[in-house]
Amino acid sequence: MDPSHAQITKIAREVNKLAIKTLRQDGIGTSEFDLIHVVRKHDGISQAHICRILGTDKAAVARQVASLSKKGYLKKDINPKDGRASLIYPTKKAEELKISKRHVETAYYEYILEALSAEETETFCFLLDKVYCRSKEESKSGFVHVRARIGEGE
């Protein structure tokens, strides 16, 4: 039983709705933003590696990379180790997109936390950090404990 009623997920979903509306104003869809995020995290990544990370087929990634390059969010350079392949890099515009999305999220979280007193906010943030750290540890372990609970084992 989940005593939180998945409210962390529900809050994240609401802020994501707002972020998506903002991204659409910049002509970016959610899958394009996911691709930009991967490229930002893996500067100079190949399209094949993007496919593996996102679990997307080559044709879809190639279309998105071409579209995002045309829009000025990504740039492609020839891979010096393999002249047939390209390496993908984020542009300044991609970095600015991240900042604008983060700005929207910050404004949303500031708004919803205004419902709490200063003391409640401090307690909430302390507990949230504790839960976040446990979540990050579980992720880094490959979700071993949660996978065992849902019957996937190792």
Side-chain angles (χ1 to χ4, degrees), residues 84-129:
R84 299 168 297 149
S86 297
L87 298 177
I88 316 300
Y89 298 89
T91 64
K92 184 178 179 199
K93 192 173 179 180
E95 296 299 331
E96 290 168 355
L97 186 66
K98 176 209 174 222
I99 293 165
S100 96
K101 181 177 185 275
R102 184 68 187 125
H103 176 71
V104 168
E105 293 168 342
T106 298
Y108 188 85
Y109 291 129
E110 285 173 351
Y111 170 77
I112 64 173
L113 288 174
E114 286 174 1
L116 304 178
S117 69
E119 184 178 307
E120 288 171 328
T121 299
E122 186 177 333
T123 301
F124 173 76
C125 290
F126 170 78
L127 294 172
L128 187 61
D129 188 58

Side-chain angles (χ1 to χ4, degrees), residues 2-66:
D2 173 16
S4 77
H5 304 286
Q7 289 181 331
I8 293 171
T9 302
K10 292 173 185 175
I11 292 168
R13 198 175 296 136
E14 295 304 323
V15 75
N16 197 42
K17 285 180 193 175
L18 178 59
I20 289 168
K21 286 181 182 184
T22 304
L23 290 172
R24 283 191 184 132
Q25 291 172 353
D26 292 324
I28 300 295
T30 54
S31 61
E32 289 179 315
F33 186 80
D34 291 343
L35 191 146
I36 291 169
H37 180 73
V38 167
V39 173
R40 283 187 42 262
K41 293 289 181 187
H42 304 276
D43 200 33
I45 189 171
S46 69
Q47 286 188 183
H49 194 187
I50 293 169
C51 291
R52 285 192 297 277
I53 291 171
L54 293 176
T56 309
D57 66 80
K58 287 190 230 177
V61 168
R63 282 191 303 274
Q64 287 181 322
V65 167

